[in-house]
């Protein structure tokens, strides 16, 4: 992970899906794209010449391979109150203690996502908090949720404080092994679906408070 590789003290990973689970698949995807491009390029090259074959191979292989390799380098982590998001090319940082916007975004579909979007007036970062399907899901682990909650409550922005309360509620549900229906993040998805606010919606401050109750 960028920066973390140098040993940042107290850095907390915010990746919803750990790198060790997704990176091998993305690398296989990149290698597969290159393999298909080479095969098709060779076939085309036999009929249209090496130059055309090479061009076709590049058109087929490069977009998928480059996208997969960049995706494999994406990381998100938190140091103190600062969230760092590495896109594969550059790193964007936002100090949540100085946030001017804090929103809970819900994308609803076959796989529904809940994300925290925080901005400082110049930059924004979106931290995926949970993914849900009809029969289960994946939620951000306890340590990163705690770090986000502490960072959000350290500022003076009222929506950020409300968001912190929702994350604390999520942590309490996790601690007692509560079912999905009791968890604030899943309740955010249900709220969006029940109101037919799909495929994307931003919860109001009142709704964030409601899912935390």
């Amino acid at each position: 992970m960028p920066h973390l590789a140098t040993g940042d003290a107290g850095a907390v990973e915010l990746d919803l899906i750990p790198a060790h689970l997704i990176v091998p698949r993305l690398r296989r995807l990149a290698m597969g794209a290159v393999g298909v491009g080479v095969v098709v390029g060779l076939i085309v090259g036999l009929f249209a010449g090496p130059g055309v074959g090479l061009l076709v191979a590049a058109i087929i292989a490069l977009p998928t391979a480059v996208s997969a390799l960049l995706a494999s380098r994406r990381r998100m982590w938190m140091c103190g109150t600062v969230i760092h998001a590495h896109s594969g090319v550059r790193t964007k940082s936002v100090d949540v203690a100085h946030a001017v916007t804090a929103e809970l975004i819900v994308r609803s579909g076959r796989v529904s996502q809940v994300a925290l979007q925080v901005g400082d007036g110049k930059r924004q970062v979106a931290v995926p908090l949970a993914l849900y399907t009809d029969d289960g899901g994946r939620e951000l682990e306890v340590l990163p949720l705690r770090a986000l909650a502490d960072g959000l409550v350290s500022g003076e922005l009222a929506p950020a404080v409300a968001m912190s309360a929702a994350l604390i509620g999520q942590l309490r549900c996790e601690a007692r092994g509560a079912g999905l229906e009791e968890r604030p993040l899943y309740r955010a998805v249900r709220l969006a679906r029940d109101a037919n606010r799909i495929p994307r919606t931003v919860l109001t401050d009142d709704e964030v408070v409601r899912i935390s109750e």
Side-chain angles (χ1 to χ4, degrees), residues 39-75:
V39 171
V40 174
L42 287 173
I43 295 172
V44 172
L46 292 175
F47 297 95
V52 176
L54 183 60
L55 179 61
V56 170
I59 291 173
I60 292 175
L62 285 181
T64 300
V66 171
S67 296
L69 290 175
L70 287 176
S72 72
R73 289 177 52 81
R74 289 175 187 161
R75 298 290 186 277

Side-chain angles (χ1 to χ4, degrees), residues 5-137:
T6 63
D8 282 352
V12 178
E13 295 185 25
L14 299 180
D15 296 316
L16 178 58
I17 302 178
H20 71 272
L21 294 179
I22 195 169
V23 169
R25 297 181 182 181
L26 290 171
R27 287 178 177 168
R28 286 196 296 270
L29 176 62
M31 292 175 63
V34 170
V36 171
V38 169
V39 171
V40 174
L42 287 173
I43 295 172
V44 172
L46 292 175
F47 297 95
V52 176
L54 183 60
L55 179 61
V56 170
I59 291 173
I60 292 175
L62 285 181
T64 300
V66 171
S67 296
L69 290 175
L70 287 176
S72 72
R73 289 177 52 81
R74 289 175 187 161
R75 298 290 186 277
M76 190 168 287
W77 68 98
M78 192 169 188
C79 294
T81 59
V82 181
I83 297 174
H84 304 277
H86 184 68
S87 66
V89 177
R90 64 188 182 91
T91 301
K92 181 167 54 175
S93 301
V94 171
D95 189 341
V96 297
H98 299 109
V100 296
T101 60
E103 299 174 319
L104 199 62
I105 299 173
V106 179
R107 291 183 173 85
S108 184
R110 293 181 62 185
V111 178
S112 297
Q113 182 191 70
V114 184
L116 166 68
Q117 183 166 279
V118 185
D120 62 5
K122 296 180 180 179
R123 296 166 295 273
Q124 285 188 333
V125 294
V127 183
L129 301 175
L131 293 172
Y132 295 110
T133 61
D134 290 337
D135 56 356

Side-chain angles (χ1 to χ4, degrees), residues 99-100 102 152 155-165 205 208-209:
V100 296
L152 289 166
E156 298 180 355
L157 184 67
V161 175
M163 209 76 66
S164 176
D205 295 344
V208 172
V209 172

